[in-house]
Amino acid sequence: MLARDTAITFLGHATLLVETPGHKRLLIDPWLRSNPACPAEWHSPSRLGKLDAILVTHLHGDHVADFEEVIQANPDATVVGIIETVRFLTNKGAKKTEQLNIGGSILFDGIRITLTQAVHSNGGEDAHGNMVYGGFPTGFILKMENGFTFYVASDTGVFGDMALLKEIYAPELAFLPIGDRFTMGPLEAAHATKLLGVRHVVPYHYNSMPMLTGTAEEFQKHLRELLVNVNVHILQPGETLK
């Protein structure tokens, strides 16, 4: 099995539901009902089942727009992210939290969660429409109870220290944005794949809104040109990688 008893369901754009080998359920970046790429059957938080944790990479609407609805349905879920982002989300209903900063890790019910840097921006809107600083944008390295390790880059440009993520954490799988404009495009994501040295990669954060023009076909073309030997898994929204 690719994900070694881990099931990762892609819910469109950059939202992921992770079921761990120890039967924990983690939701990464809750954008469901208002997500144009999310299948209708997943719009209700009840479809997610009981969540143990909600991991948030940054406060942009296409990553947290449905946070309040999800946390209302899962008030005991632990919200995990960088300090400023988590503090902002306590005003949106988060009661149990784990605050980290870049390079730091926590052990959550046998799952090692490490916060990584991302080359992006991070801010959310308060009740008056004012932009609130959310700390640095982030990604996650997740090491499951059985040792299976994968990288969720979230919104980022390519950066050279991805090679250090390979050296330190040796992820087997990476979720990389390819949509362009707000994140890496296919060319940059191909270089990121090379730096990370993963055996498997899932392109995401594309094909969800017209302005995201990067395609999986372009991504695969650039990987071939770079002679990167990697298994590319193109998931459709609602599809599960196991």
Side-chain angles (χ1 to χ4, degrees):
M1 298 175 65
L2 183 161
R4 293 202 278 133
D5 297 320
T6 301
I8 308 170
T9 302
F10 175 52
L11 297 180
H13 194 65
T15 301
L16 303 172
L17 177 63
V18 181
E19 299 176 75
T20 79
H23 307 293
K24 299 299 179 182
R25 296 172 71 83
L26 318 176
L27 184 67
I28 303 175
D29 287 350
W31 192 34
L32 302 168
R33 193 181 301 278
S34 56
N35 179 351
C38 182
E41 62 267 26
W42 287 96
H43 284 184
S44 172
S46 63
R47 178 69 170 81
L48 300 168
K50 180 182 180 296
L51 297 176
D52 297 286
I54 302 169
L55 280 58
V56 177
T57 61
H58 64 299
L59 293 175
H60 290 167
D62 58 334
H63 293 257
V64 296
D66 296 307
F67 175 83
E68 289 181 80
E69 188 176 0
V70 172
I71 198 67
Q72 286 170 9
N74 289 274
D76 293 326
T78 300
V79 178
V80 182
I82 199 165
I83 297 168
E84 294 86 351
T85 286
V86 171
R87 287 184 178 174
F88 179 89
L89 294 174
T90 60
N91 296 321
K92 302 290 185 179
K95 295 180 175 63
K96 296 171 64 176
T97 64
E98 289 283 0
Q99 301 177 10
L100 294 85
N101 217 315
I102 292 168
S105 301
I106 59 168
L107 195 62
F108 177 80
D109 287 347
I111 304 151
R112 189 170 182 81
I113 302 173
T114 301
L115 209 60
T116 70
Q117 69 268 44
V119 182
H120 195 57
S121 60
N122 185 14
E125 290 189 1
D126 65 16
H128 305 289
N130 300 311
M131 186 63 71
V132 176
Y133 175 62
F136 287 107
T138 64
F140 289 103
I141 297 281
L142 299 176
K143 185 176 183 179
M144 300 291 97
E145 300 96 332
N146 63 356
F148 173 66
T149 302
F150 63 99
Y151 171 47
V152 178
S154 189
D155 289 13
T156 188
V158 64
F159 53 91
D161 282 352
M162 287 179 171
L164 280 177
L165 299 183
K166 170 188 175 182
E167 183 177 340
I168 297 169
Y169 307 108
E172 301 168 51
L173 164 70
F175 286 80
L176 299 180
I178 67 165
D180 216 342
R181 182 180 282 258
F182 300 114
T183 70
M184 296 186 286
L187 172 62
E188 294 84 1
H191 281 272
T193 305
K194 185 175 183 179
L195 287 168
L196 290 163
V198 291
R199 294 188 294 110
H200 302 272
V201 63
V202 176
Y204 79 158
H205 203 287
Y206 76 105
N207 199 31
S208 50
M209 54 187 78
M211 65 183 69
L212 301 184
T213 57
T215 67
E217 291 74 23
E218 292 176 88
F219 178 51
Q220 291 173 301
K221 177 178 75 73
H222 290 303
L223 287 170
R224 289 193 296 270
E225 291 170 350
L226 291 173
L227 304 178
V228 177
N229 184 20
V230 66
N231 297 296
V232 180
H233 303 271
I234 301 172
L235 298 182
Q236 299 305 311
E239 190 172 355
T240 299
L241 187 70
K242 295 183 178 180

